[in-house]
């Protein structure tokens, strides 16, 4: 097998789909893992990529946090934008708890995080981290949606950054094959199967998705988390789609 990378799309609370994919790969994808060079991602996809590179043993912990985080957002009167609720602070707490102390060392040159410069609106891929705090800051920047996450962009290395999904929601790395993962039906390697007849596609910052009712519902659920049973369905869907991909590529263990 040639060198491969895995890239996870911006997904909001549908990042639980990514965690299902990761579980499928960890259980059945030894052939893929042996050739894995790097992971990339934007927003929630960056969080998933970080877990795969630095803390695969914390996968269940990450799922539990996602369920708890979604429940807390749902319980707010106006969701994430409810006055007095600090979305980014809760996200930071989860990241800090899950990542190991040497996460930045494990991530160096193996993790590529998409962020957007808040001033120039240009994309930047960050793959070098001098400390765990540096890595945490870049992850927060990649997840920061203005208004939804607050009013002040995340600062890193003297500049201000916002969600990487605005400019590159599904990074493709230059060397080797990049396996793309998305919770939206489309042309990605691992994604939900489109069940309708629509042949219309739309581009979402480097991600090609089907223009369909199901995807519109998923886009809404990315910011306004669905119920726990639905989140668990999405997780299982990610797992099954990963297994289907591995079988198709004849990489199944």
């Amino acid at each position: 097998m040639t060198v491969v990378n895995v890239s996870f799309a911006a997904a909001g609370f549908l990042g639980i789909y990514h965690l299902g994919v990761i579980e499928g790969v960890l259980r059945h994808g030894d052939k893929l893992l042996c050739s894995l060079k790097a992971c990339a991602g934007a927003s929630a996809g960056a969080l998933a990529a970080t877990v795969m590179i630095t803390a695969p043993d914390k996968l269940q912990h990450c799922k539990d946090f996602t369920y708890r985080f979604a429940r807390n957002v749902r319980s707010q009167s106006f969701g994430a934008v409810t006055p007095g609720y600090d979305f980014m602070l809760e996200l930071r707490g989860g990241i800090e708890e899950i990542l190991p102390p040497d996460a930045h060392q494990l991530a160096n040159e193996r993790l590529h995080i998409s962020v957007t410069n808040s001033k120039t609106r240009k994309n930047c891929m960050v793959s070098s981290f001098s400390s765990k705090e540096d890595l945490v800051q870049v992850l927060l920047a990649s997840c920061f949606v203005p208004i939804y996450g607050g009013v002040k962009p995340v600062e890193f290395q003297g500049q201000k950054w916002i969600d990487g999904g605005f400019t590159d929601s599904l990074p493709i790395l230059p060397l080797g094959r990049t396996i793309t993962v998305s919770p939206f039906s489309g042309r990605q390697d691992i994604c939900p199967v489109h069940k309708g007849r629509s042949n219309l596609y739309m581009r979402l910052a480097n991600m090609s998705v089907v223009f369909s009712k199901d995807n519109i519902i998923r886009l809404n659920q990315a910011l306004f988390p669905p119920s726990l049973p639905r989140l668990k369905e999405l997780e299982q869907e990610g797992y099954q789609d990963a297994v289907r991909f591995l079988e198709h590529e004849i990489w199944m263990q």
Side-chain angles (χ1 to χ4, degrees):
M1 188 190 298
T2 59
V3 169
V4 297
N5 311 292
V6 179
S7 182
F8 297 90
F13 280 100
L14 299 194
I16 193 67
Y17 175 93
H18 291 329
L19 300 184
V21 170
I22 291 173
E23 181 174 3
V25 170
L26 292 178
R27 284 193 183 186
H28 306 290
D30 283 353
K31 290 182 179 179
L32 188 160
L33 292 171
C34 286
S35 299
L36 182 65
K37 182 179 190 307
C39 285
S43 196
L47 300 175
T50 304
V51 170
M52 190 163 182
I53 289 292
T54 72
D57 59 313
K58 292 287 191 73
L59 181 60
Q60 186 58 51
H61 190 134
C62 196
K63 290 180 186 179
D64 293 340
F65 169 73
T66 302
Y67 295 140
R68 185 170 66 250
F69 194 11
R71 183 190 65 222
N72 289 345
V73 170
R74 283 197 307 272
S75 70
Q76 305 301 315
S77 300
F78 301 101
V81 299
T82 301
Y85 175 67
D86 195 329
F87 178 90
M88 297 301 287
L89 182 63
E90 184 164 1
L91 179 58
R92 170 184 273 276
I95 293 172
E96 290 179 340
E97 188 177 345
I98 290 166
L99 297 189
D102 63 344
H104 58 293
Q105 296 170 332
L106 296 169
N108 270 329
E109 306 309 324
R110 295 196 66 218
L111 176 65
H112 301 259
I113 300 174
S114 172
V115 292
T116 302
N117 189 288
S118 66
K119 184 176 181 180
T120 65
R121 292 298 193 268
K122 291 184 177 179
N123 184 265
C124 178
M125 295 296 297
V126 182
S127 58
S128 179
F129 314 94
S130 61
S131 65
K132 179 181 175 180
E133 176 59 22
D134 264 5
L135 175 56
V136 171
Q137 283 295 104
V138 176
L139 288 170
L140 290 173
S142 188
C143 293
F144 181 79
V145 177
I147 306 302
Y148 185 87
V151 295
K152 293 183 179 180
V154 178
E155 292 193 23
F156 173 69
Q157 294 186 341
Q159 298 189 65
K160 296 180 179 180
W161 306 89
I162 60 176
D163 198 311
F166 289 129
T167 48
D168 191 348
S169 61
L170 189 60
I172 303 299
L173 300 182
L175 299 177
R177 174 186 176 184
T178 297
I179 297 166
T180 52
V181 183
S182 171
F184 305 101
S185 299
R187 294 192 171 103
Q188 284 59 246
D189 294 304
I190 302 176
C191 67
V193 175
H194 174 54
K195 298 175 182 178
R197 296 181 179 181
S198 173
N199 291 318
L200 295 176
Y201 285 81
M202 57 183 178
R203 298 288 292 181
L204 297 177
N206 200 35
M207 177 170 52
S208 178
V209 303
V210 178
F211 184 71
S212 68
K213 179 182 177 181
D214 285 346
N215 273 345
I216 291 172
I217 291 172
R218 290 185 184 108
L219 283 169
N220 180 69
Q221 292 174 335
L223 293 177
F224 304 98
S227 65
L228 178 60
R230 175 56 181 153
L231 288 172
K232 291 195 171 183
E233 284 178 5
L234 288 162
E235 177 199 331
Q236 186 61 28
E237 191 174 16
Y239 179 88
Q240 292 170 347
D241 289 343
V243 169
R244 175 168 51 85
F245 170 78
L246 292 169
E247 289 175 337
H248 179 266
E249 298 287 329
I250 319 178
W251 291 348
M252 190 74 175
Q253 289 294 109

